[in-house]
Amino acid sequence: MMINHSSATEFYLLGFPGSQEIHHILFATFFFFYSVTLMGNTVIIVIVCVDKRLRSPMYFFLGHLSALEALTTSVIVPVMLWGLLLPGMQAISLAGCAAQLFLYLALGTTEFALLGAMAVDRYVAVCNPLRYSIIMNSHACNWVVIVSWMFGFLSEIWPVYATFQLTFCKSNQLDHFYCDRGQLLKLSCNDTLFTEFVLFLMAVFIIIGSLAPTIVSYTYIISTILKIPTASGQRKAFSTCASHFTFVVIGYGSCLFLYVKPNQKQAAEYNKIVSLLISVLTPFLNPFIFTLRNDKVKEALRDGMKRYCQLFKD
């Protein structure tokens, strides 16, 4: 236990409850998800870089989204897997905890900004196709990506700094598998009401702010698609947006439940479930969402496999 009024210099992650046998099963399950996530997102990045048919803004953004998904899950899952192998609590330093939380939030914020940009890209492609190549030129796309990454990392400096300015004297045991902000606030002996309110406002600004262009874009996209006279034309138009729309629903849905609420100190079990959705399930589904629902990506994958098999035979 911590001495009263002294701040923790390291934390112990409690991880998942249960016996060592259950932990081994969870380790095998999450290791499989993590391996597939890394391989799937890496494959997407490679084919976007090497296949000339995927040299368009949509796939340029997709490559960066896949990189963000791979990095986000790599910030959380290796620590979680190591904790499942250890017979007891896992120690993490104060600096390590701050770094993990910052990277996790910064990468997530960058992803939200990029998803909003991808929605605008789909709006231009569907609603203004004749000017698409002019509006979404390579210069504009590069700036969109640069601004998204800068916004993601700069916007999370103060929230993480404010969190670790608190005094953690109640305990040094975090009931989570990573350094979750809500659980950190529970350990503080300071009055965190103002900090929680500011963090809530920032979460609203980031998540709802990036969701707004998505909602507006898809309102115009759906309206435009419904005006297409043929059913085949409607299906073709919507197929260009289906993957992005599916990812938006999964990604925003889970994050809204976790971050956009005034009280950050919700139950640890609730936190763990939603965090697993964000850090494990969503990155795992990303390659399947963008390959199984996209004909160009599937075609590029098939051709790549054929070339690889041909080289192997030779």
Side-chain angles (χ1 to χ4, degrees), residues 79-137:
V79 176
M80 179 178 68
L81 292 175
W82 183 244
L84 288 170
L85 289 179
L86 295 176
M89 295 180 293
Q90 180 186 11
I92 184 170
S93 67
L94 188 70
C97 190
Q100 186 188 50
L101 181 61
F102 174 73
L103 288 173
Y104 180 61
L105 294 176
L107 291 168
T109 303
T110 303
E111 190 170 313
F112 284 132
L114 193 59
L115 284 172
M118 291 175 75
V120 175
D121 169 71
R122 291 300 83 209
Y123 158 74
V124 178
V126 174
C127 301
N128 205 345
L130 297 178
R131 299 189 62 201
Y132 179 70
S133 59
I134 299 173
I135 298 173
M136 302 302 297
N137 57 67

Side-chain angles (χ1 to χ4, degrees), residues 42-58:
T42 301
V43 167
I44 289 179
I45 294 169
V46 170
I47 63 171
V48 166
C49 291
V50 302
D51 198 297
K52 293 181 179 180
R53 289 167 296 185
L54 304 182
R55 300 286 173 83
S56 70
M58 175 182 174

Side-chain angles (χ1 to χ4, degrees), residues 1-2 7-14 89-90 92 168-175 187:
M1 296 295 295
M2 299 300 303
S7 188
T9 56
E10 67 176 4
F11 297 101
Y12 290 91
L13 303 175
L14 299 184
M89 295 180 293
Q90 180 186 11
I92 184 170
F168 305 105
C169 60
K170 290 183 179 178
S171 173
N172 61 353
Q173 296 181 7
L174 275 172
D175 191 5
L187 303 184

Side-chain angles (χ1 to χ4, degrees), residues 157-177:
I157 292 175
W158 184 87
V160 175
Y161 173 79
T163 300
F164 284 90
Q165 287 301 299
L166 300 172
T167 303
F168 305 105
C169 60
K170 290 183 179 178
S171 173
N172 61 353
Q173 296 181 7
L174 275 172
D175 191 5
H176 216 294
F177 53 82

